[in-house]
Amino acid sequence: MLSQRPLPALFAMTLLCGSLVAASVADACTRLVYLGENGQVVTARSMDWKLDVGTNLWVLPRGIARNGEAGPNSAEWTAKYGSVVATGYDVATTDGMNEAGLVANVLWLVESEYPEYDGTTPGLSISLWAQYVLDNFATVEEAVTALAAEPFTLVTDSVPGEERLATLHLSISDATGDSAIVEYIGGKQVIHHSRDYQVMTNSPTFEEQLALNEYWKQIGGTVMLPGTNRAADRFARASFYVNAIPKTDNAAETLASVFGVIRNTSVPYGITTPDQPNISSTRWRTVADHKRKLYFFESALAPNVFWVDLNGLDFSQGAKVMKLDLGPNQSNSFAGMANDAFKEAEPFQFLGL
C-alpha cells in the first residue's frame, strides 16, 4: 500500500500521454548534478543522437572576441573565462566547463519555440548559447541575472545536414551546486533556478517533468522505477539515483557513483525504438568535477574514460586554441589525463545566419 496520495489519475495520465507524443519526435539526452559532502559537486550528461554528432574537444582561452553570428546586429562580447568544450559538428558548443567551474549543457527539447528575430535587437545564434554562458559567467546566479534581462534574441537554425530546426534547452550548474534550466516556450524565455533542479532530460517541458517526477516519488524508487528510454522515464531514474547514491567526499567513490547514474540513463549503442524513431543511442558521456576542475569524457565506441585537467591548461589571453581530435564517432582512444594530446588548431567557426 502506498503511504502517500498519488497525483490525480487524470492529471498524471494527461502528462504521461503528453510525454509519449513529445518523445516520438525528440532526440534523447540526460543531464544530472550530484551534490555530495564537503563541496563535492559533479555534473554529468549523455549525448544521444541518431548519427555521428561530429564531436571534438577544444580548449578556448579567455580574451577571444566573439559575435552572435546572427547577422548585422549580432551580440558581441569578449570571453572573460577560458573553457573546455565538446562541440557538435565542430560548429556549436554542446557541453563544457569554464575555468571558474561553471558547466553548461544543451539538450534537445522539441517544444522549444523561439521569438521571431527582426534584427532590431542583438541576435545570438543558438550554436553559441552555451558558449555565451561559459565565456561570461562564473556562477549560475550571475548567468541567471544576466539572462533574465534578455540581452539578446536567440536565433535558431537548421541542424547540420537536416531540414529540421535545432530546438534546444540549456542547463547551467556551478561549483556551489546551484543550478538553472533555461527554456523558450511559446516564444518566451522561461528560467527555472534552484539548487533542487538537479536533472534535465528532453520532452515534455521542465515544468511538466517536475510534475511527472512527483508521481514517481510517491511510488518510491526502491519499489519501482520506469525503465524505458523515454525522456520522462530517464528523468525519474536520474532523479532517484542521483540522490540515492552515497553523499561522500571521496573523489573516486563520487565519480564512480555519478558515472553509474549517467550510464543507467543512457541508451545502449545500436538500440532503436520502432514506434519512437528518433529516440537515439548514447554517443558519449561527460562528467565534470566542479571542485577539482576535471572534465571526463567517455565515448560509446572507445574502451577508456579519459579526462582533461583544467588546472593544467593555459587559458591566458593570447594563448593558443587547442583541439583534441576524437575521430569519427568519437572512436579515437585516450586514457588517463589527456591534456598533452591536444594540438594547436585554428578556432572552429560557429554556425550562424
Side-chain angles (χ1 to χ4, degrees):
M1 179 180 293
L2 298 178
S3 61
Q4 294 177 307
R5 185 176 62 189
L7 290 173
L10 180 60
F11 178 60
M13 284 303 296
T14 299
L15 289 178
L16 204 54
C17 289
S19 71
L20 284 169
V21 171
S24 68
V25 291
D27 290 283
C29 300
T30 303
R31 168 267 198 185
L32 57 91
V33 181
Y34 167 86
L35 306 173
E37 296 293 331
N38 295 328
Q40 306 294 312
V41 180
V42 178
T43 296
R45 72 85 53 87
S46 62
M47 169 59 81
D48 303 353
W49 202 250
K50 60 186 177 181
L51 301 169
D52 180 8
V53 72
T55 297
N56 291 298
L57 298 190
W58 293 76
V59 176
L60 305 176
R62 68 184 84 101
I64 296 177
R66 300 196 205 283
N67 75 79
E69 302 295 343
N73 197 21
S74 294
E76 295 183 351
W77 71 95
T78 299
K80 292 172 58 180
Y81 301 99
S83 56
V84 171
V85 304
T87 58
Y89 303 101
D90 270 353
V91 297
T93 293
T94 64
D95 192 83
M97 179 164 63
N98 72 15
E99 58 183 316
L102 184 74
V103 169
N105 331 90
V106 290
L107 280 68
W108 197 261
L109 180 67
V110 72
E111 292 88 350
S112 300
E113 294 181 43
Y114 305 104
E116 292 290 333
Y117 182 57
D118 60 10
T120 61
T121 58
L124 180 74
S125 169
I126 200 167
S127 67
L128 284 125
W129 196 12
Q131 193 62 51
Y132 180 89
V133 170
L134 294 172
D135 282 351
N136 287 294
F137 310 112
T139 67
V140 170
E141 182 68 38
E142 288 179 12
V144 166
T145 299
L147 294 176
E150 300 194 60
F152 54 77
T153 299
L154 194 65
V155 182
T156 190
D157 200 354
S158 296
V159 177
E162 302 186 35
E163 295 183 357
R164 58 174 174 165
L165 292 175
T167 52
L168 307 172
H169 54 171
L170 171 72
S171 62
I172 316 169
S173 49
D174 67 23
T176 73
D178 199 6
S179 186
I181 311 296
V182 186
E183 298 179 338
Y184 280 83
I185 308 300
K188 302 292 185 182
Q189 179 181 248
V190 179
I191 300 177
H192 303 271
H193 179 200
S194 171
R195 183 181 174 90
D196 296 333
Y197 296 151
Q198 295 169 256
V199 175
M200 183 174 87
T201 55
N202 313 106
S203 298
T205 62
F206 187 69
E207 186 173 343
E208 292 182 3
Q209 289 280 24
L210 293 176
L212 280 167
N213 197 49
E214 284 301 314
Y215 171 80
W216 289 108
K217 281 183 179 179
Q218 292 181 50
I219 292 176
T222 57
V223 176
M224 181 175 65
L225 282 171
T228 79
N229 55 18
R230 291 180 299 139
D233 290 2
R234 287 181 283 107
F235 191 104
R237 293 202 304 279
S239 295
F240 171 74
Y241 282 120
V242 77
N243 289 299
I245 56 180
K247 298 296 185 286
T248 177
D249 61 0
N250 182 288
E253 293 177 2
T254 292
L255 291 167
S257 294
V258 173
F259 265 109
V261 178
I262 197 62
R263 288 166 179 157
N264 179 276
T265 59
S266 297
V267 180
Y269 196 84
I271 288 289
T272 58
T273 307
D275 62 340
Q276 299 175 46
N278 290 316
I279 292 293
S280 305
S281 301
T282 297
R283 297 276 166 176
W284 49 259
R285 289 170 283 266
T286 61
V287 173
D289 185 328
H290 296 258
K291 183 176 182 179
R292 297 170 186 84
K293 297 181 183 175
L294 302 176
Y295 186 73
F296 294 82
F297 191 92
E298 180 180 47
S299 169
L301 290 181
N304 301 310
V305 175
F306 68 89
W307 65 90
V308 182
D309 184 350
L310 274 70
N311 301 290
L313 297 175
D314 183 4
F315 289 118
S316 64
Q317 185 168 345
K320 302 296 185 181
V321 171
M322 308 290 284
K323 175 184 177 181
L324 184 62
D325 187 347
L326 300 181
N329 292 296
Q330 299 76 60
S331 58
N332 290 349
S333 293
F334 303 93
M337 190 174 73
N339 287 38
D340 291 342
F342 281 80
K343 305 297 181 185
E344 182 181 339
E346 290 297 316
F348 64 90
Q349 179 63 45
F350 285 94
L351 182 67
L353 301 183

